[in-house]
Amino acid sequence: IAEDAAKLGYQAKNLQSVLSQLLAEVKIEHYIGAYPPRKSYEPIIKDCELFEFIWTSKRLGCDVYLKYCLMGGIFYLVSLHEDRPKVLQKK
């Protein structure tokens, strides 16, 4: 997360503030995850539903990818970085 923070132009110690600003920007129409949401396989958040979003952030000035889950009233940030579109290979 620290490396991605540096690439996005903020210090990791400011993550909570930046994340609060980003969550205020994101809308349901920015959701790009599965229906129903995929479940995490990471031990600490195993079987937690993952919510994925991509949008053009005014705060960061780029397309942002955000993935998180909520478990027991706790917000778990899974991924936050500039969107990295998948390049389709020609056959």
Side-chain angles (χ1 to χ4, degrees):
I1 291 194
E3 184 178 331
D4 288 326
K7 288 179 182 176
L8 287 171
Y10 70 92
Q11 294 181 350
K13 69 180 182 179
N14 297 328
L15 176 61
Q16 186 174 359
S17 172
V18 171
L19 190 54
S20 178
Q21 294 168 0
L22 295 177
L23 290 171
E25 290 183 356
V26 74
K27 308 260 186 269
I28 190 65
E29 53 266 19
H30 301 138
Y31 182 75
I32 55 103
Y35 293 96
R38 287 185 271 279
K39 300 218 176 185
S40 174
Y41 54 84
E42 296 294 330
I44 196 166
I45 54 172
K46 185 155 178 54
D47 295 327
C48 187
E49 291 181 329
L50 298 169
F51 300 99
E52 302 171 80
F53 297 84
I54 294 176
W55 78 102
T56 303
S57 169
K58 292 178 184 170
R59 165 64 173 85
L60 299 175
C62 64
D63 290 345
V64 174
Y65 174 83
L66 169 68
K67 181 169 37 174
Y68 68 89
C69 70
L70 299 168
M71 189 165 92
I74 299 172
F75 178 93
Y76 288 88
L77 178 62
V78 177
S79 193
L80 173 61
H81 54 76
E82 186 169 1
D83 183 36
R84 303 174 189 135
K86 293 179 182 173
V87 178
L88 299 176
Q89 296 180 357
K90 293 182 181 180
K91 294 185 179 183

